Amino acid sequence: MTHPAIGLDDVVHQRVRLGILTVAHEARRVEFGFLRATLDLTTGNLSQHLTVLEKAGLVEIEKGYEGRRGRTWIHLTAAGRKALDDEISQLKRLIRQVEEAPAADPAAEPS
Amino acid sequence: MTERSTGSVDTAREALSSSRQLARRVRHAQRGTWFPLVLLGLVIAAAAPFYRLGRHVVTCDPALGARGGVQIIDGGACVQVVGWPVGIYWIVAFVLAYAAIAAFYVYRARNRGVGARVLPYVGTGIATGLVLGIASAWSQQLDIVGYFPTGPVAVGMVPLISIGLALFVLARVERNWPLVVFTTGYLVVALLASGIGTRRPGVSVGAGLGPMWGFLPGLVVACGVLLLGGVGFALAERRRGV
């Protein structure tokens, strides 16, 4: 069995991107401003992370207008949902595996 | 356990905990529980004239009962209960109320920047309202008297139940445990107030109102519970500062 840490996807296993996917997973769709406020990010920083996720096919970005106001909505794709589920289950597995591992013998530790 | 594995486990725990916190924040931002509760409470209150419209005093032999309709026999007076006025009211009211609820959630989603999956709730509300409402109001015409609860109790109770069933779906959609608890309480109270288990439904609850207005206590109680619940959820939302 491979170590759970090996199964972690670099695109998803990043604090901000994991946050974006989590928020998008909970909501049917989420607006850029809500994401920025919730994750406490700058516009530029959030845009960069969204570009990475969009290129990986994990989110879809939809730009539009409501009245005169430009709005950007983010949807989670099926691949994004799967990537998030995989990440969460890998993290849980990692915790379980380390917790269930027998404690190291202090005598065996190199001095 | 090595220092490196401890570190990675701590990071994993932190990531999971932060994900859960984010999910909770989003759920709170999506909720608008107070609005359907208040609106449906008002819809119940507005149903009263239509219930009264469907009750007529008729001449009958209390031993034989009135012909052609459900009846309440109270102290020698016979009251015929016709389901169609309130049946039509509920059909129109449910469609309009759930359309308003859907519009409210859409408006809120735009305002807050976070969508909610409210369609299952709206669909369930309209479907159960129509199916149960039609079945209870026109059970004789539909020839389902043997398969469906009929009579004044059913006519009064079924819409209240359909509201409760739909609220369970809303609780699922909003992942809202307090709403599950509230809805369970509402259903129990609504059923008791409708006169479940009493020999003279409505009349026993509405002592002194007589058979013409015996439906009123059930409606008032159900409406009151929903309005109070709506106020409670609104205050909780405000306190969280969502």
Side-chain angles (χ1 to χ4, degrees):
Chain A
M1 194 193 282
T2 58
H3 192 277
I6 306 297
L8 293 170
D9 181 345
D10 284 343
V11 174
V12 184
H13 188 67
Q14 197 279 342
R15 195 181 57 84
V16 173
R17 291 197 285 269
L18 184 59
I20 293 170
L21 292 177
T22 301
V23 173
H25 181 262
E26 285 302 316
R28 194 174 53 82
R29 58 182 204 155
V30 60
E31 207 263 329
F32 187 93
F34 180 86
L35 264 179
R36 192 186 53 208
T38 305
L39 299 170
D40 197 18
L41 298 168
T42 63
T43 301
N45 196 349
L46 177 56
S47 295
Q48 281 177 349
H49 286 294
L50 283 174
T51 305
V52 172
L53 289 170
E54 189 182 28
K55 276 184 180 162
L58 305 184
V59 297
E60 270 173 8
I61 297 172
E62 175 199 333
K63 290 181 190 286
Y65 282 91
E66 264 167 31
R68 287 183 175 183
R69 205 166 139 211
R71 304 269 274 188
T72 304
W73 292 90
I74 293 96
H75 304 255
L76 195 67
T77 62
R81 193 166 293 112
K82 190 185 175 308
L84 180 67
D85 288 346
D86 288 350
E87 171 75 9
I88 298 294
S89 58
Q90 292 285 14
L91 288 173
K92 285 178 179 170
R93 230 182 94 205
L94 177 67
I95 293 167
R96 220 176 25 246
Q97 200 160 310
V98 173
E99 279 176 346
E100 287 170 2
D105 182 4
E109 288 285 322
S111 52
Chain B
M1 202 187 287
T2 64
E3 269 179 46
R4 232 177 64 189
S5 63
T6 308
S8 66
V9 164
D10 286 346
T11 308
R13 277 207 192 96
E14 209 175 295
L16 282 176
S17 151
S18 147
S19 274
R20 285 193 200 105
Q21 276 174 13
L22 272 176
R24 251 197 307 275
R25 275 179 73 179
V26 174
R27 284 172 200 176
H28 286 157
Q30 286 173 310
R31 285 176 192 171
T33 320
W34 67 271
F35 183 79
L37 294 181
V38 168
L39 183 64
L40 291 167
L42 296 175
V43 164
I44 290 174
F50 297 91
Y51 278 97
R52 175 62 188 80
L53 205 65
R55 294 190 177 211
H56 315 278
V57 177
V58 290
T59 311
C60 72
D61 179 351
L64 298 173
R67 284 185 209 162
V70 184
Q71 62 170 355
I72 301 166
I73 300 172
D74 183 55
C78 294
V79 173
Q80 194 176 51
V81 179
V82 183
W84 69 262
V86 82
I88 289 172
Y89 167 78
W90 281 119
I91 289 170
V92 174
F94 274 142
V95 171
L96 292 178
Y98 284 109
I101 289 166
F104 166 80
Y105 273 94
V106 168
Y107 166 79
R108 217 172 145 92
R110 282 188 186 154
N111 225 17
R112 289 191 170 173
V114 60
R117 297 176 182 87
V118 76
L119 219 57
Y121 167 58
V122 169
T124 305
I126 291 175
T128 55
L130 294 187
V131 170
L132 297 178
I134 289 168
S136 68
W138 289 282
S139 53
Q140 284 189 316
Q141 291 84 337
L142 295 168
D143 200 22
I144 52 169
V145 174
Y147 309 97
F148 199 81
T150 55
V153 177
V155 169
M157 189 180 68
V158 165
L160 305 183
I161 292 176
S162 85
I163 287 171
L165 294 178
L167 282 176
F168 279 125
V169 176
L170 180 64
R172 174 80 188 84
V173 164
E174 291 190 338
R175 278 146 300 186
N176 191 342
W177 276 106
L179 184 57
V180 172
V181 174
F182 170 81
T183 304
T184 306
Y186 155 79
L187 276 174
V188 169
V189 170
L191 293 181
L192 288 174
S194 297
I196 287 287
T198 58
R199 280 185 63 238
R200 290 188 304 178
V203 179
S204 57
V205 183
L209 288 171
M212 295 300 278
W213 291 96
F215 59 86
L216 206 52
L219 288 188
V220 169
V221 169
C223 159
V225 170
L226 287 181
L227 290 179
L228 284 173
V231 170
F233 278 100
L235 288 173
E237 201 176 289
R238 245 185 116 144
R239 213 183 55 218
R240 275 199 309 266
V242 181

